[in-house]
Each structure stands twice: as structure tokens, then as C-alpha cells.
Amino acid sequence: MADISIKHLVKRFGKVEAVSDVSLQIADGEFLVLLGPSGCGKSTILRVVAGLEDADAGEIVIGGRLINFIDPVRRNVAMVFQNYALYPHMSVYKNIAFPLQIAKQSKEEVGLAVGRAAAMLGLENLLQRLPGELSGGQRQRVALARAIVRAPQAFLMDEPLSNLDAQLRIQTRLELIQLHQRLGITTIYVTHDQIEAMTMGDRIAVLSEGVLQQIGTPQEVYRRPANVFVATFLGAPPMNLIGGELEWVEFGWRFRGDNIDVPLSADVTSPPEDGNPADMRQVKLGLRPEHLRIGPPGETGGIAGQVQFLEPVGSDLFLTVEAAGTLLQVRTDPDSPLQPGENVSLLFDPWRAQVFGPDGQNLRRDTAPVESAAALAPAAAS
Amino acid sequence: MMSTVSAEKAWDELTLSEAEYRRAGARYRQRRSLRAYLFLLPYFIPFIAFLLVPALWSIWLSFNRGGILDPAKYVGLENWRSIASDTELTGAIQNTAVYAVEAILLVFTLAIVLALLLNRYRKGSNIFKLALYVPLLAPAVLVGLIWQFLTNFDFGFINLALDAMGFDRLNILGSGRLALLTIVLAEVWRGLGFWTLYFLASLQNVPEELLDAARVDGARGVQRFRRVTIPLLRPMLLFAVVIAIIANFQVFDTVYVLTQGGPYESTSTMVWFIWKRLFQFQETGQGYAAAVVLLAIILALTAISFRVLGARRKRRA
């Protein structure tokens, strides 16, 4: 077990910079999720940590040891691959035993360790089978068993659940969380699935085009996205964005735009020192679908809109509402009697709103926890 | 026609009786397989005309005297008896076996090593691939001449070099062991490009992810090669061994150009023996009998290769 530091990592493929100056500090025993769309560089970071790719710049330190120039063979990290990467010509037993046999452990030691790992993952009855005779879920377990069998310093997991069907994925997700709780081994987990990221990660690092966008607990990243990318990447449907301008009026911020004029809490950004700065003229208001409430038309402080489409998904009803010159997604009660064409007002708690500047960055630059923003809300709303 | 639903029948009643259903199915499948056979025809006609019929004819002619220019005359087992006691044939079989084992082992080893290098170092590898492949494009006679120039006693490059360095000249093609080795080297040189590209293609079939996994699992280069690459190459290796056995047991043109089977029949191979019986000694019956022996040997070796290299998967399943 060990902590992992990734310092100013750069990795290029030809002229393409796959990873640009990414720094991450992962505590001993932490479960860190690298989240991002395909091609964002998350798998590359994992492969560099494993030693399968060389870094072009930057340092990787595992347990106080600089490992950039250590062969992957001697890094003592275990990796779980997307396609499992089981050796097709070896039985399950031999697959799990492989790292130990390579390490020249005695037959008895190997047998004991394989038995333990197999028991932990419920593979005792499959040890003599070949990978080709196993289901996807069973193969996944064999890959995990091979990873845990030699007690590595860190686990590196590259989208290990993406080839499983939906039900199995949920089940294996829980098992992975339990496994991590039991073993407490530092884990870097790569995924493009935000549900996996939110449910599994102690912290999430969101990446886009090789650049680290934000790192924080799932709550922090979801509630206070650092920029437009994170805001729209996390959440399904994603955060609604409305273009407009921010104005300081009588000790509070107001957001004005096309058919919208609403008060916001005072802490969306620091108050202006002298007049309204120009960079507040082109901002985006961000509101999550679940933070919008439906009210009768004409409600004060609301956004006037007209219902366009209904999308019932069983547990929720998603409405598409034309408002503020754009289409907004609203999550509401599945039993709502609303019909397309109805006029409504959209209401929200001002303290939940995020405002993004012209550069796409969240204007709320403080690092105070979200709860304190809630405490400020009544004052701002008055 | 048969699929039209008659008005009196309920919607969920089947329109065809069981017997009709079976007949219609059989007709449908027949039509489909007929089309498949039509596609196979362009292959099968030459296969039958130029391989199957001559092979069977050779078996028949091995019991006859004559048959090429003069009418065949049945002589029973006479040809078989005379080649059975012919020491040149047993020598030829032995030479062919020695040659084939040496050539296959050497060319496979070199080709796999080169393929591993080409697989690892991609930059500029096309030039090497081309250089390796060119000898295959050269006619066998040319290859033979090149090796003549290398090995000739008076003006061969090797002997000139030995001379210049103050060593005695070697009568390479005049000594049985060295002459056979020269044929081995000539054929290895000729086949190396093909087998290198073949193994390179095979290596590129080995999933990168498995080798990555083995690296992270702590396996070094040689361990990865022995425990992951080679087992995964097994089916490709089987094919290569079978093809190489078939090709190398028929070695002829290099022998013809370089040694004519000499000295003292020490480089006489099976096809050389057959050729001599057929076209030099007019002992066509013996030639055919020897050809049947060659066919039997090749079939037997192929079967053994399948057993040794191909069996494992079946046993496990």
C-alpha cells in the first residue's frame, strides 16, 4: 500500500498532447476515479503510472519512490484491463497464479494465495476452466483475482466494468467497493461512466482533452462544478445553461437575459468594487434539472416558460421547457398532470445556481463547502 | 404459393403440414448449397485435373513399366521391390530429412527473431521487409547461381576470402556434409523473407493488452515470449510447420543447380531421386513408386504435426 503523486505529467503522441500538465495526489488507501469522455487522456495517465507508456515530462511517485525510470515489471502495481486481458491458453488457476509464478514463489505459497483470492471472488469452482469457457462477469472476477493475488502497492483499473451488462455492472460495482473497503489498497479507477464515478470514488478527477478540470469529492464536483465542462459532463440530463449578464443591484446579484430576470445569492461571485465590470455581461447561469420547480405562470422570481415535451422514465418525469430563449430540462414528479403547450414558471433556490464567466470558469472561486452557501441563501434572497 | 393462408384456417394454424414443411426446407437448403458448390467449382476442376487424377495415376503407374512415351505394361510389385532395395532412395530419404530438419529449424528461428525485431522497431522496418522478401522473388536458378559464386572452389567469394586470410580453400560443394549445408543455407536465405513476414503478421495478432498485462504482472521479455506469445502463436506455428514440411520435402531446384545430387549422391533428395528415375534413367515405374512414398511421408508428417501441435486445445475442452 502506498500513496501516489502524479506531478506535472505530460504525455504526447506525436504532435497530440494526450495529457497536459496533470498533477494529482492520491492518499494511501484512497479510491480515486479519473472521469472524462473518451480521448480525454484518462487511460493514458493510468498506462503511464503502470509503466506501459513513458511520460514525456513530470514525475510519478508511488510510496515515496520515483518510478518513472523503473521497469513496469518491478513497479508492483496491478492492473485490471477493460477486456480483462486473461491469458486464453491458461486455466483460471494459472491465470491467477501467473504473477506469483513469475515472482518465483513456491508451489505451496502460490496455491494458498490463489485459493485465498479465488475464495474472495467466489471462483473456487472455476479454477480448472479456460477463460473462453467463462461468462463476462466471471472473467472480470478472474482479472480482479489476478490483480489482488500478490498484494500490490496500487490497483490500476481501466474501465473494468464497461463490458458487462447493466445488471452485472451494478452488482460488480458494489463488489468492487466492498473489495476496496476490505483490502484498502490505493486505487486509480478510470471510467467514462459518471454513475460509477459518483458511487465508487472517494474523489473524482474530471479530465477533458488531457487537462485536469476539477478534483474533489463526488458531492463537491457535482454541486459546485469548476467550469462549464464539468457542469455539463456530470448529471443526466446535464446542467441547464442560460446565457445573459450579471448585475449588482442593491447589495445583491441579479441575472438578466432573454425573458429572464432573477435574483441570485450574493456569493455567486465577489461583489464588484467599482460599477459593473464588463466581464459580467457575457455569463452563463447554470441550473440542474432537479433544482427547477414548476409553478403557476406569472410567479415572481420565476422564469416564464412553455412545456414542449414530456419524457416519463418511470421514477421521474423529465420536461423540456422553452424558457429564457432556450430549452431547459426539468426533473419533476412522474404523476404531474402537465401537458405540452402549458405555460408555467420555473422556480429555483438562488443559492443553488452557478454562474460561469465568459471563460467558462465558475465565478464562485471560494473553496468554502456548499453548506455555508446554503446558510447565506436567505439573506441573498431577501 | 404455399405460404398463402386459406380463408377457413384460424390465424395461428400452420399452413404447411409437417411433411410439406420438411420437403420445402430440404429444397431450400439444397438450393443454397448448390450455389456454394458452384463457387467451389473453379477450384475443384484444376484440383481434380492436375492433382487428384495424376496422384491416383501415379499410384497405378508405380505397378507398371513405361507409361509416358510407351504404353504401360503391368509388372506387379517389381518397381516397389527394386526401390526398396535401392540404397540411393534410403540415402535420399535420409538426406531430405536431415535437410528439412536443419532448414526448418534454422529458418524458423531466424524468422521469429527477425519478426520480433521488426515488431518492436517499426521505424524504417519496411526497407528490411523488402530486403528480406526480395530473394523469394528471384528464380531458384538465380539463387543457385549466387550460391555457386559464393562457394566455388576456384573463384567463389568464400574461398577467395579464406585465401586472403591465409586459410586453406574449402571444397564446399565437393564435400557431402558442406554441400548439403550449402543447400540448406541457400533455401533458408530464400525462404527467410516469407517466414519473417508470416511470423510478423502472426505476432501482430497477439493482443497487445495481454502482453501489457504480463508486463504489469512482472513478466520480463523472455518470460512474456515463452509464456504468452508462443502459446498464442500455436495455431500459426502448426500451419507453418505443416507448410514448411510439405515444401521442404520437395526441395529440388537448388539441388539441381548447385550439386546435381552429388558428390556421390550425398545431396540426393527425394524429388531429385524421382526426377532422375523419371527423366534420366527412364525407370518411370520406380519414379512413380518413389513419388508415392514421398506422398505417404508428407501425409504422415502432417498428421503427426497436427497431433503434436494441434491436440492440446481439443484435450482441454
Side-chain angles (χ1 to χ4, degrees):
Chain A
M1 281 189 276
D3 59 328
I4 303 174
S5 299
I6 298 170
K7 304 175 184 172
H8 302 289
L9 178 66
V10 176
K11 174 66 191 173
R12 294 183 202 94
F13 293 107
K15 282 183 183 157
V16 183
E17 198 161 90
V19 178
S20 307
D21 194 18
V22 167
S23 294
L24 292 168
Q25 194 158 16
I26 303 149
D28 186 7
E30 188 178 357
F31 195 112
L32 179 86
V33 175
L34 298 182
L35 177 69
S38 44
C40 72
K42 56 193 191 300
S43 289
T44 306
I45 294 176
L46 205 65
R47 290 176 63 82
V48 171
V49 174
L52 299 172
E53 306 281 354
D54 292 334
D56 287 312
E59 292 184 350
I60 295 163
V61 179
I62 299 182
R65 187 168 68 136
L66 177 70
I67 55 151
N68 283 54
F69 310 109
I70 291 176
D71 198 86
V73 166
R74 290 192 287 137
R75 287 193 188 187
N76 195 22
V77 296
M79 190 155 170
V80 178
F81 293 80
Q82 186 174 359
N83 301 314
Y84 320 132
L86 300 179
Y87 309 117
H89 54 288
M90 297 183 197
S91 66
V92 168
Y93 181 93
K94 285 187 178 167
N95 262 286
I96 301 173
F98 187 78
L100 303 179
Q101 289 174 343
I102 290 294
K104 300 238 158 55
Q105 294 200 2
S106 75
K107 238 186 181 155
E108 294 75 40
E109 280 177 300
V110 172
L112 275 173
V114 172
R116 256 201 314 273
M120 211 178 280
L121 289 152
L123 292 167
E124 298 101 320
N125 298 324
L126 303 172
L127 289 173
Q128 295 316 313
R129 301 256 194 105
L130 287 177
E133 300 162 344
L134 303 178
S135 70
Q138 290 168 335
R139 286 181 210 182
Q140 183 56 63
R141 283 159 197 276
V142 178
L144 284 171
R146 187 175 64 187
I148 65 175
V149 74
R150 66 193 162 116
Q153 285 196 302
F155 282 143
L156 308 174
M157 303 197 183
D158 191 1
E159 310 216 13
L161 304 185
S162 62
N163 283 353
L164 301 179
D165 63 53
Q167 280 208 325
L168 206 53
R169 199 179 306 171
I170 295 169
Q171 187 194 331
T172 316
R173 201 166 74 202
L174 289 173
E175 285 171 0
L176 271 177
I177 296 170
Q178 286 174 341
L179 201 64
H180 178 252
Q181 282 168 353
R182 183 132 48 124
L183 299 171
I185 291 176
T186 316
T187 304
I188 306 182
Y189 185 101
V190 161
T191 184
H192 62 263
D193 183 320
Q194 46 169 309
I195 306 290
E196 274 174 33
M198 297 291 291
T199 52
M200 300 176 85
D202 291 329
R203 283 189 304 156
I204 300 176
V206 185
L207 289 148
S208 171
E209 294 178 349
V211 178
L212 181 64
Q213 305 293 322
Q214 187 172 9
I215 181 162
T217 66
Q219 294 286 0
E220 285 166 5
V221 175
Y222 188 79
R223 290 207 191 150
R224 192 173 296 176
N227 56 37
V228 169
F229 175 82
V230 179
T232 51
F233 188 75
L234 278 170
M239 186 180 268
N240 293 300
L241 293 174
I242 305 166
E245 59 182 59
L246 210 55
E247 223 178 306
W248 182 258
V249 183
E250 290 167 22
F251 311 109
W253 287 106
R254 285 194 83 81
F255 177 81
R256 292 203 176 102
D258 204 1
N259 287 325
I260 179 172
D261 185 351
V262 289
L264 299 178
S265 61
D267 70 328
V268 291
T269 188
S270 40
E273 287 172 7
D274 184 22
N276 275 311
D279 65 352
M280 295 301 164
R281 300 216 183 284
Q282 275 191 322
V283 300
K284 284 197 172 79
L285 175 66
L287 292 165
R288 293 231 175 254
E290 66 270 30
H291 294 156
L292 287 167
R293 291 190 310 276
I294 301 287
E299 190 109 338
T300 46
I303 311 165
Q306 191 182 42
V307 177
Q308 299 288 317
F309 312 110
L310 309 178
E311 289 174 283
V313 296
S315 58
D316 293 303
L317 172 67
F318 289 105
L319 301 175
T320 304
V321 179
E322 190 181 352
T326 181
L327 293 174
L328 303 181
Q329 295 281 325
V330 181
R331 194 183 84 178
T332 188
D333 189 330
D335 298 323
S336 161
L338 284 167
Q339 291 300 319
E342 269 184 61
N343 288 314
V344 294
S345 307
L346 300 177
L347 306 164
F348 62 94
D349 297 328
W351 60 271
R352 290 198 195 267
Q354 310 290 326
V355 183
F356 302 97
D359 58 353
Q361 296 301 312
N362 198 331
L363 292 179
R364 200 195 307 252
R365 291 188 202 279
D366 65 309
T367 52
V370 178
E371 280 69 26
S372 66
L376 287 169
S382 61
Chain B
M1 271 187 306
M2 265 184 274
S3 56
T4 44
V5 184
S6 67
E8 302 99 67
K9 283 187 175 171
W11 72 270
D12 62 340
E13 253 181 288
L14 296 172
T15 45
L16 298 183
S17 73
E18 213 174 303
E20 280 176 318
Y21 191 94
R22 249 198 321 272
R23 261 198 310 272
R27 251 197 315 261
Y28 175 64
R29 276 188 293 276
Q30 244 170 34
R31 228 175 23 244
R32 261 197 323 208
S33 40
L34 189 69
R35 216 172 304 151
Y37 284 122
L38 274 173
F39 277 109
L40 286 176
L41 211 57
Y43 169 76
F44 266 107
I45 288 174
F47 173 77
I48 290 167
F50 299 122
L51 282 165
L52 199 59
V53 170
L56 295 173
W57 200 22
S58 302
I59 295 174
W60 165 242
L61 285 177
S62 70
F63 298 102
N64 288 274
R65 184 184 295 281
I68 293 189
L69 298 173
D70 45 342
K73 183 170 159 280
Y74 185 75
V75 294
L77 288 172
E78 194 192 293
N79 294 322
W80 287 92
R81 247 181 253 122
S82 50
I83 65 159
S85 58
D86 192 334
T87 53
E88 191 186 346
L89 181 64
T90 45
I93 293 174
Q94 204 188 329
N95 290 338
T96 311
V98 169
Y99 157 81
V101 169
E102 287 178 355
I104 293 173
L105 281 181
L106 192 59
V107 82
F108 278 15
T109 310
L110 287 175
I112 289 174
V113 169
L114 284 172
L116 284 170
L117 288 172
L118 286 171
N119 197 31
R120 183 143 156 66
Y121 304 101
R122 303 276 168 91
K123 220 178 228 175
S125 65
N126 279 341
I127 294 167
F128 288 99
K129 286 182 212 164
L130 185 69
L132 282 166
Y133 204 76
V134 163
L136 199 69
L137 303 177
V141 176
L142 190 63
V143 174
L145 285 176
I146 290 170
W147 284 83
Q148 279 278 14
F149 284 127
L150 283 174
T151 54
N152 188 283
F153 187 77
D154 297 311
F155 57 82
F157 176 80
I158 293 170
N159 278 320
L160 291 180
L162 284 174
D163 218 22
M165 289 185 289
F167 294 103
D168 286 340
R169 287 177 185 237
L170 282 173
N171 189 1
I172 296 170
L173 294 180
S175 112
R177 193 69 202 91
L178 287 179
L180 194 62
L181 197 63
T182 306
I183 291 169
V184 168
L185 291 177
E187 287 289 339
V188 165
W189 181 65
R190 198 150 74 104
L192 189 57
F194 174 79
W195 289 118
T196 303
L197 293 192
Y198 176 85
F199 285 120
L200 183 60
S202 308
L203 283 176
Q204 285 168 358
N205 251 335
V206 175
E208 198 74 27
E209 211 180 44
L210 289 184
L211 297 171
D212 282 348
R215 272 173 90 180
V216 178
D217 282 342
R220 285 158 203 290
V222 179
Q223 289 171 319
R224 286 199 295 276
F225 180 69
R226 203 168 54 80
R227 304 194 53 161
V228 180
T229 308
I230 285 288
L232 290 175
L233 286 184
R234 187 179 278 268
M236 274 77 94
L237 216 52
L238 168 67
F239 176 80
V241 167
V242 169
I243 292 294
I245 285 174
I246 292 172
N248 280 298
F249 266 78
Q250 300 181 49
V251 61
F252 172 73
D253 27 28
T254 332
V255 177
Y256 183 89
V257 178
L258 280 177
T259 64
Q260 299 265 328
Y264 304 110
E265 290 161 7
S266 59
T267 60
S268 171
T269 62
M270 291 199 72
V271 176
W272 173 254
F273 178 90
I274 295 165
W275 183 84
K276 262 202 323 196
R277 290 299 176 279
L278 285 176
F279 301 111
Q280 282 195 330
F281 300 168
Q282 314 302 333
E283 288 288 356
T284 50
Q286 288 182 24
Y288 287 125
V292 173
V293 171
L294 177 60
L295 182 67
I297 289 175
I298 288 176
L299 285 179
L301 289 175
T302 306
I304 291 169
S305 315
F306 267 95
R307 266 224 118 95
V308 173
L309 283 164
R312 178 166 300 187
R313 199 176 309 167
K314 267 184 218 137
R315 206 173 11 161
R316 279 264 186 86

